[in-house]
Amino acid sequence: MKRLILQHYTGALGELERLSVENIRKFAAAFGAEHRFIEGNVFSETLSAPMQKLVMLDERFDDYDVVVMMDADMFVRKGLTEDLFAQDGIGVSGAFQRRLKWAYIRKMKGLVHWRYPYWNGSLWKLDRWHRQTFRSKLPLVDLQKYSQGRLEDEGVMHQLARHSGFTGGILPGGDRWAMSSWSEEIETSALIHIRPNIVRKGAKRPKIETLRAFVERGLIEV
């Protein structure tokens, strides 16, 4: 199986982003995957930075059986032996993401539908069939409308699932494959998404400080 992990970032890489790219590069190599870091407006010059992650649907990657896209603030939990590529599903949709979905259904009429999955945007894992199917539905989605709001790539992927009639694709384990660093269950994570919040609704700090704290706790190795 030919596997690829992509990471995207727009702007100058900081210390945290550089460490994330190296961490995920090692993770990819450990599971027989290629790794590629891409930056800038690789999907569309007119869309926001998060929307550029939709480049993973591009035909240039059609030779790969599975393509993963991750944010550049994702890290592997130290000691992880499970293979992401062996997991069934496209993205993460734990309890927090489900609450977010229903909030958006109420606040953003017509942009989010209750029947279809609403995945976390920090990680996507798509096989060739899903990438090609979703790509064929891109003309049906008003990308500018999503680029200008809070939904961005998460909203577009949701709509591509809707137009494809696809209702599954949730990775197992709640949010453990993209667990926010403020989670009280962080010890059970597989991949950690470094967030600015120290706790979910609490004070914020630079993400690099959270990363250093996790390194000291032995949860992440850099």
Side-chain angles (χ1 to χ4, degrees):
M1 178 180 289
K2 197 173 180 183
R3 305 164 164 184
L4 174 67
I5 296 180
L6 298 170
Q7 286 184 280
H8 174 269
Y9 193 74
T10 295
L13 290 178
E15 181 183 0
L16 180 126
E17 291 78 28
R18 290 193 297 270
L19 290 170
S20 173
V21 169
E22 184 58 26
N23 182 271
I24 299 302
R25 191 190 311 279
K26 292 177 181 177
F27 172 69
F31 290 97
E34 296 177 40
H35 177 275
R36 197 178 305 180
F37 171 71
I38 51 180
E39 57 186 328
N41 294 332
V42 290
F43 181 71
S44 170
E45 288 286 345
T46 65
L47 299 176
S48 66
M51 296 282 279
Q52 305 305 320
K53 289 181 285 182
L54 296 169
V55 73
M56 72 177 299
L57 305 177
D58 195 276
E59 62 184 8
R60 77 184 81 172
F61 304 120
D62 279 356
D63 285 345
Y64 292 92
D65 298 287
V66 181
V67 175
V68 172
M69 173 64 80
M70 290 192 204
D71 283 351
D73 52 8
M74 293 279 282
F75 290 83
V76 181
R77 180 180 53 78
K78 185 178 179 179
L80 180 71
T81 58
E82 295 169 78
D83 185 354
L84 170 62
F85 294 94
Q87 310 301 312
D88 291 331
I90 284 175
V92 167
S93 185
F96 174 75
Q97 197 71 15
R98 290 194 296 273
R99 288 194 296 271
L100 188 64
K101 171 184 174 179
W102 285 101
Y104 284 157
I105 287 172
R106 293 190 299 271
K107 295 176 182 178
M108 300 185 176
K109 301 295 185 182
L111 297 184
V112 180
H113 193 282
W114 66 269
R115 186 185 297 273
Y116 301 97
Y118 192 83
W119 301 291
N120 183 317
S122 57
L123 180 149
W124 314 104
K125 180 177 71 70
L126 291 162
D127 62 25
R128 184 183 296 106
W129 184 87
H130 281 101
R131 295 196 311 275
Q132 292 176 341
T133 300
F134 283 14
R135 184 170 73 223
S136 72
K137 306 301 181 183
L138 277 170
L140 302 178
V141 181
D142 185 344
L143 298 179
Q144 288 290 345
K145 183 181 293 185
Y146 285 90
S147 183
Q148 295 166 3
R150 285 177 290 178
L151 301 176
E152 296 185 293
D153 55 316
E154 291 187 3
V156 173
M157 282 292 197
H158 168 78
Q159 285 295 338
L160 294 177
R162 177 187 171 210
H163 287 298
S164 301
F166 182 71
T167 57
I170 296 175
L171 285 164
D175 62 352
R176 70 182 299 265
W177 286 97
M179 190 174 287
S180 293
S181 54
W182 44 253
S183 174
E184 295 179 355
E185 300 177 351
I186 200 67
E187 301 277 352
T188 68
S189 62
L191 293 169
I192 298 172
H193 189 198
I194 301 295
R195 311 302 296 143
N197 298 62
I198 299 172
V199 296
R200 183 184 162 195
K201 293 185 178 181
K204 297 183 179 182
R205 63 181 173 187
K207 289 194 281 186
I208 189 63
E209 293 183 13
T210 295
L211 174 62
R212 289 169 181 156
F214 277 35
V215 170
E216 289 180 7
R217 288 174 59 183
L219 284 172
I220 293 174
E221 185 173 36
V222 295

